[in-house]
Amino acid sequence: MASKSASGLKDAGVRWVQKVSSAPAFARVAPHVIPALDRAVHRMTRGKVLLSAQLLPGIVLTATGARSGVPRRTPLACMPEEGGRSWLLIGSNFGRTDHPAWTANLLAHPDAVISWKGEDIPVTARLLQGEERATAWKELLRFWPPYATYQARVEREIRVFRIARRR
């Protein structure tokens, strides 16, 4: 009985966060606050904790800057696939009008490294298009419904990447 109550509270909390994260005000504030907090906590815990991952699975992506050539660390929500062999990344940018910079970095330099549950993993990214993107998008909407709100808010097609462990 206690576990059902705890589960019900968690579900209510997730629904509340989904509602809040769909609000336009969240899109204005979150990009400035959440990544900074995530980077700080991730660094302090030596890669073991990512605050935003308490709600959604998350990684810290280290990708080479498209123009600068400098490594850039970006905390991101992700959807794990194949038991941790690949992940979907969505360039929602919290429903803001521009593509996030990390997507341009992956387009220019698809080899990257992610920190996943405290482990650094070399990966290669691939932009999904056509039917493959449509299939992944449906899965992402089941995973986190606010992505539909983000897409409705912008004219651009939100970029979806599959990153997979390098062999």
Side-chain angles (χ1 to χ4, degrees), residues 128-143:
L128 301 185
Q129 298 177 338
E131 188 58 38
E132 187 178 26
R133 184 200 181 277
T135 300
W137 183 253
K138 287 177 188 171
E139 290 298 315
L140 285 163
L141 291 182
R142 277 194 284 281
F143 180 70

Side-chain angles (χ1 to χ4, degrees), residues 77-93:
C78 66
M79 188 179 104
E81 299 181 304
E82 303 177 28
R85 296 180 50 80
S86 65
W87 299 260
L88 290 178
L89 302 180
I90 184 162
S92 68
N93 208 12

Side-chain angles (χ1 to χ4, degrees), residues 1-162:
M1 179 95 147
S3 64
K4 281 188 177 184
S5 296
S7 176
L9 284 174
K10 184 177 180 185
D11 291 345
V14 168
R15 285 191 302 277
W16 181 82
V17 170
Q18 288 176 344
K19 184 175 182 174
V20 168
S21 70
S22 296
F26 183 84
R28 286 190 299 275
V29 174
H32 304 289
V33 176
I34 294 173
L37 283 172
D38 270 343
R39 276 191 290 273
V41 170
H42 191 260
R43 190 172 34 254
M44 288 186 317
T45 62
R46 294 187 178 113
K48 291 184 175 69
V49 176
L50 197 58
L51 280 181
S52 60
Q54 304 311 303
L55 187 61
L56 281 172
I59 54 128
V60 175
L61 172 72
T62 302
T64 302
R67 290 187 297 225
S68 70
V70 174
R72 303 290 185 191
R73 292 175 53 84
T74 309
L76 299 169
C78 66
M79 188 179 104
E81 299 181 304
E82 303 177 28
R85 296 180 50 80
S86 65
W87 299 260
L88 290 178
L89 302 180
I90 184 162
S92 68
N93 208 12
F94 298 97
R96 296 167 62 189
T97 56
D98 297 328
H99 291 290
W102 65 264
T103 67
N105 296 345
L106 287 182
L107 290 172
H109 305 282
D111 285 344
V113 175
I114 62 167
S115 175
W116 169 251
K117 297 182 177 182
E119 178 186 359
D120 288 338
I121 303 169
V123 296
T124 300
R126 189 169 51 81
L127 179 66
L128 301 185
Q129 298 177 338
E131 188 58 38
E132 187 178 26
R133 184 200 181 277
T135 300
W137 183 253
K138 287 177 188 171
E139 290 298 315
L140 285 163
L141 291 182
R142 277 194 284 281
F143 180 70
W144 191 249
Y147 288 142
T149 303
Y150 297 168
Q151 183 62 77
R153 201 180 293 154
V154 297
E155 292 182 20
R156 67 182 172 89
E157 180 177 77
I158 290 175
R159 291 175 177 158
V160 177
F161 288 85
R162 176 167 284 120

